[in-house]
Amino acid sequence: SGLDYTVTVTGMAGRGNVVAGVKAGAAVNSTGQGNKASTSTDNTVLFDGVQPTVTINQAAGQADPTNVSAVQFAVQFTEPVIGFGPEDVSLAGSSAGGTLSVSVTGSDASYTVTVTGMTTSGVVVASVPADGAADAVGNKNLASTSSDNSVEFLNKGIISFSQAVYTVSEEDITQSVTITVTRTGQTDGKVSIDWAVKDGT
């Protein structure tokens, strides 16, 4: 009342600006004179009623299948969010054995999820459930969508020579050398070995 009033605007949906102004002649003073149209230094408020959406997919360069026990996924929100961390990533549907753990790096709208701890063959599947992160006005994210959010993990073991150096006398043409290649650790899946020989000392 009097000189001061509060205007409340409701009914907004989506995202956009709410701009308020006072029309000329909307009120009159004690002598019947109408007001002039309002002026403002800040009569605009950005309204955001849209929940962030998010995708999670294999990170660029992530091999699939892989025998490297650190699998990466790229997470992309439609706008900057806060509060996104390892606890906001689900590994439901993963079949790789071991104690799988999640770490998260990144900021704003882009993050990288790294999954480690796999010890036996299987698939690593990552997703982002709803409500784990929020935008600047508190809208919680929707559940993630994906085009490829799984990576097959194969624990193929380690291929190596059984010893570091092999020697043979070149003076005896009947001499030969047997070079043994070993596979240690897990033996998931087939492997092949490319090899070559060359002249040297």
Side-chain angles (χ1 to χ4, degrees):
S1 63
L3 298 177
D4 300 309
Y5 293 82
T6 298
V7 173
T8 302
V9 182
T10 59
M12 294 81 68
R15 181 187 290 117
N17 289 325
V18 178
V19 183
V22 179
K23 299 176 182 179
V28 294
N29 62 15
S30 59
T31 62
Q33 294 176 312
N35 66 282
K36 294 182 178 180
S38 62
T39 60
S40 306
T41 57
D42 187 0
N43 65 330
T44 301
V45 175
L46 173 63
F47 175 79
D48 183 358
V50 178
Q51 292 178 270
T53 61
V54 57
T55 59
I56 181 169
N57 292 295
Q58 292 181 10
Q62 173 61 57
D64 185 15
T66 182
N67 67 337
V68 178
S69 58
V71 173
Q72 292 192 325
F73 298 90
V75 176
Q76 185 66 49
F77 290 88
T78 51
E79 59 180 307
V81 296
I82 56 175
F84 181 66
E87 66 278 4
D88 301 314
V89 178
S90 171
L91 299 179
S94 297
S95 59
T99 303
L100 277 60
S101 62
V102 174
S103 64
V104 173
T105 58
S107 61
D108 295 330
S110 301
Y111 296 83
T112 298
V113 167
T114 302
V115 182
T116 57
M118 296 79 70
T119 57
T120 62
S121 291
V123 176
V124 179
V125 181
S127 62
V128 179
D131 301 335
D135 65 14
V137 298
N139 295 314
K140 297 294 185 68
N141 68 280
L142 298 172
S144 62
T145 59
S146 305
S147 59
D148 190 355
N149 63 328
S150 65
V151 175
E152 183 181 7
F153 174 74
L154 296 176
N155 195 338
K156 295 182 178 180
I158 299 172
I159 305 296
S160 60
F161 293 115
S162 60
Q163 62 191 66
V165 178
Y166 295 85
T167 59
V168 66
S169 173
E170 294 181 345
E171 296 177 357
D172 185 347
I173 61 173
T174 64
Q175 285 281 346
S176 64
V177 60
T178 299
I179 299 175
T180 303
V181 177
T182 60
R183 182 184 190 185
T184 57
Q186 295 291 326
T187 57
D188 295 337
K190 296 180 179 180
V191 296
S192 62
I193 300 170
D194 296 326
W195 63 276
V197 294
K198 66 177 182 178
D199 293 336
T201 60

